[in-house]
Every structure is written in structure tokens, then in C-alpha cells.
Amino acid sequence: MSHAAPRPLSVSARGPLRGTLTVPGDKSISHRALMFCALAVGESRIRGLLEGEDVMATAAAMRAMGARIDRDADGTWRVHGVGVGGLLQPEQALDMGNSGTSTRLLMGLVSSHAITATFTGDASLSKRPMGRVTEPLSQMGADVRSSPGGRLPLMVRGLCPAVPITYTLPIASAQVKSAVLLAGLNTPGITRVIEPVPTRDHSERMLRGFGAEVTVEDSPEGKIISIHGEAELKPQTIEVPGDPSSAGFWMVAASIVPGSEIVIHNVCMNPTRTGLITALKLMGADIVEIDAREVGGEPVADLRVRHAHLKAIEVPADLAPSMIDEYPILFVAAAVAQGRTVARGAHELRVKESDRIAAMRAALEAAGVQCEEFEDGLAIQGSAGAPLAGGGSVASLLDHRIAMSMTVAGLAAAAPIAIDDVSPVATSYPDFFETLHALTGAAQ
């Protein structure tokens, strides 16, 4: 899965955002839906699947391990699963492109099957640490051979039957938690994960929906998530709600561009994913939930967002697990707020698709924003609602969230912001720029 040719873009202010939109299906849920459907016996259907490059990497990997996955003309995906324990030996390396979620969760799946899989990825993914996942999987009996530094390419030779473990997460990571739980699916006995800090719980919710025996209980050490192995998953019809991470770009854009008013339909409101909304409301954002409901076991709502005069805050560090992917766009909101916003406790940003702390500091400074960098975050001096200076050049570093965040910054800048490459946006939000043009009434 080679990276697309660079696509430079110059972004300038173009007036208020108005209208209604639906964001792509939630990326975390889309990955899991494909994996769990591929492990059920029979045909499952998925509607609203995110069709970005990251999720397509998951689909390709599950096909390579025996599942039949087809897309109907109406956008419904049909998945004929192989059953837990039924994964086949892939004939060649699994190319994960830029998708860390695909890589880490699939490593978990492979670990308790009697197969061997080699994982490769693009330049960005190959820099990301995998040791946090390989450590517990090795405890379960998997044989993992990685490149120096615990990075890709790496090979996982699964053990069947694997060994159930009780594992306490050393860092707040839904990917590590999910990898261990997925390894536990085909492991006799009970596999347990203890998470001292709650993380997104899509795996637990969805596995229960497929018929796995998953329990969650509180303890002095944190939440204990237990899965009973050698599960039999039953086919399902999945409705994927809109991705709150994708919605975040429009929430901030409408908040910082005067005269804006938008409604974002069908946004996942899982409480482990709404940290950005909480932070923006603390800053004074005008975000109203409409028609709260439940879709496929996940809370969902429509969000009406209007322009507001944002004020700086000290971002509560305990929000980090529920908004770790949204910090880049929160930094843009802070750049236009009144006062000095301080966001700390986000060490994980250093090991995302890029070092998002350093990348956003450099990008915002290129747009004329004063920043102070910490090991675990940024302090940002806002413009008090005045346009950003703009006029600089930004490196996206193959990171879709840097590219989209700085596109939003360009909407509130006095001079255009030049982004060296926005092609990575296709990994998570293929229609991002079409939506931008529709909301601003600008010609493409």
C-alpha cells in the first residue's frame, strides 16, 4: 500500500460554514466491525463503514486470512466469516499502510491462531512502537520477531492454544487492551485486562453484541475486563455511527469562523470519545446535542455548532484518553481563543502518525501563533478571536490529522497557509475537502 503522490494545498479564509453534514463512519468501530464479522460464522452486514485507506487495510488483511468481504452498490458491506480459530495462513505479508489500529489489533488476533503473519507498513507506521503490544502477546505464547526498536516490519507466529493472562495496562491504550482481548477470543480460559485509566470501550461493547462473554467490573486497581475464550461469534448487522474525531474538525471550524452554524448528523457520543466536546464547552463553544439516541449499542446524537468567542483553559489532563486523537484540532481552537491555553498529560501524542506535539507547534508557529512545547503537551497563546497571521508553510509529516487541523486553521487566517501534502487525509476522511467546499460554498 504505497503512499499517494504529495498533494500540496494553500488554504485561505472563505467565510462562514453553513449547512448540514454527515461525517464518515467511526474509524475505531469500522476496524472492529470488519474483524469481528470476519470471526463470526455466517454472513454479517455493515452499513456506514468508513471507506478510508486505514479501514481498507483491515479489510484486505481479513480477506488474506480467509474471510469473504464484498461491498454492495448501496454501500452495504457483506462479510462471510471463518469463525474464531478459523483464520488461515496469509500467503504474503499484510500491508497495513498507515494504520496503527489495524496492526495492533490484528497482531492480537494472529497471536492465538496457529498461523504466522508478517506485518509491514508505510514510512510513518514503521516508526511507531509496537513493543507495548508484543509484550503481553508474548506472555500469551506468541513468538514475535520485530525490527530494531520493536517496530515494523515484524512477524507474529501464533500459539494455539495460547495461554490466558491477567495484564495490567502500563499506559492508557485501547489498542493494547483490544489486542489482548482479541488474543483471548481463541484462548481457553479467561483472559483479563486491568486498565487503571478508562479508554474507549468499543471492543467490549461490540464483542458482547456478537455473543462473546465479556464482563467489566470495577476494582481498586481499575476496571477489570474479562473475556471467556474459545468464543463463538454470531453474525450481526452493524450500523456504524459517525466518527467523533472527524466531527471535531467541523466543530472547531464552526466555532472559530464568525457567522458559522452547522448541524453534524449521527455522531457517536460514546463517553470514552467525547473529551473534545467537553474541552470545547469549557472554552465556551456553542455545541448542542439534538435527538440523543442509541444505534448499534452506541450512544449517538446530532450536534448543532455555532460560532462562539472561545476562552483559554487549562485542559484537564484526565480528558486525554477520551480525546487523544483530537488534540491537534483542539490546539487550533486554542490558537483563536482569548488567553493562554495549556494542554498537558498527552504524552501519547509523541508516538502517533507523527510526533503531534512537535508537529503542531511547528505548524502553528508557521501560522504566526506563539507556542511553548512541553514533553506532554503545548501552551498556546490565542488571538482573542482575531485572524491568525497565516502566510507560512506547514509540513503534514504524512499525518492526516495535522493536514486537516491546519486546513481548519487556514479558514481563520489573514494570509493563506500552505500545507505541503494533504494526501494523507484519505486514510480517514476521503470526502473531507468536498465537505469543506459544500459548507463554505466555495468552488473546488
Side-chain angles (χ1 to χ4, degrees):
M1 190 176 295
S2 60
H3 180 63
R7 178 187 170 192
L9 183 71
S10 180
V11 187
S12 55
R14 56 186 72 184
L17 291 81
R18 294 186 175 275
T20 63
L21 67 144
T22 301
V23 293
D26 184 86
K27 187 153 71 115
S28 295
I29 295 174
S30 293
H31 282 303
R32 289 161 173 81
L34 282 170
M35 292 180 196
F36 300 164
C37 288
L39 292 170
V41 178
E43 181 181 277
S44 296
R45 298 188 176 217
I46 309 170
R47 289 192 283 267
L49 187 81
L50 169 62
E51 297 183 3
E53 292 172 359
D54 281 10
V55 174
M56 293 302 98
T58 293
M62 298 316 296
R63 285 191 187 104
M65 291 187 285
R68 200 173 93 217
I69 303 176
D70 301 295
R71 185 187 187 278
D72 292 339
D74 66 357
T76 300
W77 288 76
R78 289 180 291 109
V79 183
H80 292 262
V82 297
V84 173
L87 294 180
L88 302 180
Q89 172 75 41
E91 295 182 357
Q92 53 193 15
L94 302 177
D95 185 350
M96 297 290 95
N98 190 241
S99 182
T101 301
S102 304
T103 307
R104 291 176 175 135
L105 269 60
L106 289 172
M107 285 166 59
L109 277 184
V110 168
S111 290
S112 58
H113 285 72
I115 62 175
T116 300
T118 298
F119 295 87
T120 64
D122 69 9
S124 171
L125 182 61
S126 297
K127 295 176 182 177
R128 299 179 68 179
M130 297 295 159
R132 59 185 59 181
V133 179
T134 62
E135 179 184 345
L137 297 181
S138 296
Q139 291 180 27
M140 298 181 75
D143 179 15
V144 182
R145 308 289 175 89
S146 65
S147 298
R151 290 173 165 79
L152 299 187
L154 63 74
M155 181 187 73
V156 178
R157 178 178 288 111
L159 177 67
C160 186
V163 180
I165 61 171
T166 296
Y167 186 72
T168 300
L169 294 177
I171 56 170
S173 171
Q175 292 180 359
V176 177
K177 172 178 66 174
S178 296
V180 176
L181 293 176
L182 296 192
L185 265 180
N186 196 43
T187 299
I190 301 174
T191 298
R192 296 180 177 88
V193 177
I194 301 173
E195 56 172 10
V197 178
T199 64
R200 57 184 68 177
D201 62 355
H202 302 304
S203 293
E204 300 94 297
R205 288 173 182 258
M206 194 178 292
L207 282 169
R208 278 200 207 99
F210 274 84
E213 189 175 346
V214 178
T215 59
V216 181
E217 53 189 320
D218 292 319
S219 77
E221 293 80 29
K223 287 192 180 298
I224 302 175
I225 304 102
S226 303
I227 187 164
H228 292 247
E230 298 180 306
E232 183 174 329
L233 303 189
K234 300 174 178 62
Q236 301 293 314
T237 296
I238 304 291
E239 298 276 354
V240 181
D243 193 326
S245 298
S246 297
F249 299 105
W250 308 122
M251 284 190 266
V252 170
S255 296
I256 66 175
V257 177
S260 296
E261 179 174 348
I262 62 173
V263 174
I264 313 170
H265 290 297
N266 201 43
V267 179
C268 179
M269 297 297 288
N270 183 308
T272 65
R273 299 289 303 284
T274 53
L276 177 65
I277 295 174
T278 300
L280 289 175
K281 285 183 175 181
L282 289 173
M283 297 174 78
D286 184 353
I287 302 173
V288 177
E289 296 176 31
I290 304 169
D291 189 20
R293 55 202 185 272
E294 188 170 290
V295 174
E298 294 278 355
V300 168
D302 303 331
L303 300 177
R304 190 201 69 206
V305 189
R306 293 172 171 158
H307 171 251
H309 294 286
L310 303 182
K311 295 184 178 179
I313 62 170
E314 292 225 3
V315 181
D318 60 5
L319 287 179
S322 62
M323 60 177 285
I324 196 66
D325 287 332
E326 287 78 69
Y327 274 95
I329 192 62
L330 177 71
F331 294 155
V332 173
V336 184
Q338 179 179 348
R340 186 174 186 261
T341 294
V342 179
R344 304 198 64 168
H347 304 81
E348 190 70 6
L349 294 179
R350 294 285 187 188
V351 291
K352 288 290 188 176
E353 282 85 336
S354 66
D355 176 343
R356 286 179 174 163
I357 294 174
M360 283 303 297
R361 177 193 58 76
L364 289 172
E365 288 180 344
V369 181
Q370 293 181 12
C371 302
E372 181 181 357
E373 182 175 337
F374 309 110
E375 180 57 33
D376 61 347
L378 289 177
I380 297 169
Q381 183 63 47
S383 69
L388 305 179
S393 298
V394 169
S396 68
L397 303 176
L398 297 180
D399 191 326
H400 54 131
R401 298 201 191 281
I402 303 299
M404 287 186 279
S405 296
M406 292 312 297
T407 296
V408 172
L411 303 179
I417 293 175
I419 305 171
D420 69 339
D421 184 11
V422 297
S423 66
V425 170
T427 66
S428 66
Y429 201 153
D431 297 330
F432 177 80
F433 293 103
E434 289 79 359
T435 301
L436 171 62
H437 298 313
L439 291 175
T440 59
Q444 294 194 41

